[in-house]
Amino acid sequence: TMRRIAYVANSLIPSRQANTAHVLNMSAALGETGADVTLIARGEPSMSDQVYDDFGVARSFDMRLKPLRYPKALDRLGFIRHVRKCVREERIEFAYGRSWYGLLAGLPRSVPFAFDVHDFPKSRWRRWLLMLLFRRPNLLFVTPISNALAERYASTFPYLRGQILVLPCAAKSP
């Protein structure tokens, strides 16, 4: 069994966006299984303790937050370096995530992973980048939030058939 899990999300923690609640709730749920879970995301590290209380999530996981310091392109490179560092330092055995660039460029091929999808890429460029992610040998499965989204991914990326598992959104009402 995998005991050291990273949830990799380029979400800003904390924020008022729904993806913050989803990421925190998923991290808490994974942690409540008994696994050692580390949320790797963007945000101010000094805010970590307050986030648990503000969002009402169990302290069943740790947070490794990367401060935002640069424009978007440089911030992405910094986040990739942050993912690499955290995965190495935490000796991560499995990664689950929403950050395609964090998983594609930050995760070593020795770490199996799953990719959580909430939308379909609009541009060819992004679909090409996802194809690179989906063809990595350490991809175990893709988790779209609906059957309709699962069908869209299966028809666009037919080699994913058998690796798609629908998981409804984990955002919960307060």
Side-chain angles (χ1 to χ4, degrees):
T1 60
M2 291 177 233
R3 304 292 302 160
R4 309 245 351 119
I5 299 174
Y7 192 113
V8 181
N10 54 306
S11 304
L12 180 62
I13 308 292
S15 82
R16 295 176 183 220
Q17 296 182 341
N19 65 357
T20 296
H22 176 82
V23 164
L24 292 170
N25 287 322
M26 286 294 289
S27 297
L30 288 168
E32 289 169 5
T33 68
D36 293 324
V37 178
T38 302
L39 170 59
I40 303 171
R42 301 175 334 169
E44 196 54 50
S46 63
M47 298 289 295
S48 295
D49 283 337
Q50 190 62 42
V51 167
Y52 295 104
D53 295 333
D54 289 351
F55 284 84
V57 293
R59 293 176 183 260
S60 59
F61 64 99
D62 295 322
M63 282 185 242
R64 298 277 304 262
L65 302 179
K66 169 82 173 118
L68 294 172
R69 302 272 191 260
Y70 306 104
K72 192 173 187 174
L74 289 177
D75 179 63
R76 283 186 175 180
L77 291 174
F79 185 71
I80 289 166
R81 290 182 58 212
H82 180 64
V83 170
R84 285 183 184 167
K85 180 181 177 188
C86 293
V87 166
R88 183 178 63 252
E89 290 175 356
E90 301 288 335
R91 297 180 320 278
I92 297 299
E93 299 171 283
F94 175 75
Y96 186 73
R98 297 184 67 179
S99 173
W100 62 266
Y101 56 89
L103 293 171
L104 181 62
L107 194 65
R109 292 184 184 268
S110 60
V111 176
F113 73 97
F115 184 57
D116 187 30
V117 294
H118 289 234
D119 61 4
F120 191 79
K122 294 172 183 66
S123 71
R124 283 186 184 174
W125 170 244
R126 177 105 181 276
R127 286 191 295 275
W128 183 78
L129 290 168
L130 286 181
M131 182 267 308
L132 293 178
L133 180 68
F134 296 157
R135 292 201 180 249
R136 288 192 62 176
N138 50 331
L139 171 70
L140 297 182
F141 50 92
V142 175
T143 59
I145 60 169
S146 70
N147 289 326
L149 195 55
E151 282 303 316
R152 193 141 184 229
Y153 272 86
S155 66
T156 304
F157 305 102
Y159 45 86
L160 284 179
R161 292 196 188 276
Q163 289 180 284
I164 297 175
L165 174 66
V166 176
L167 290 178
C169 186
K172 63 181 180 181
S173 56

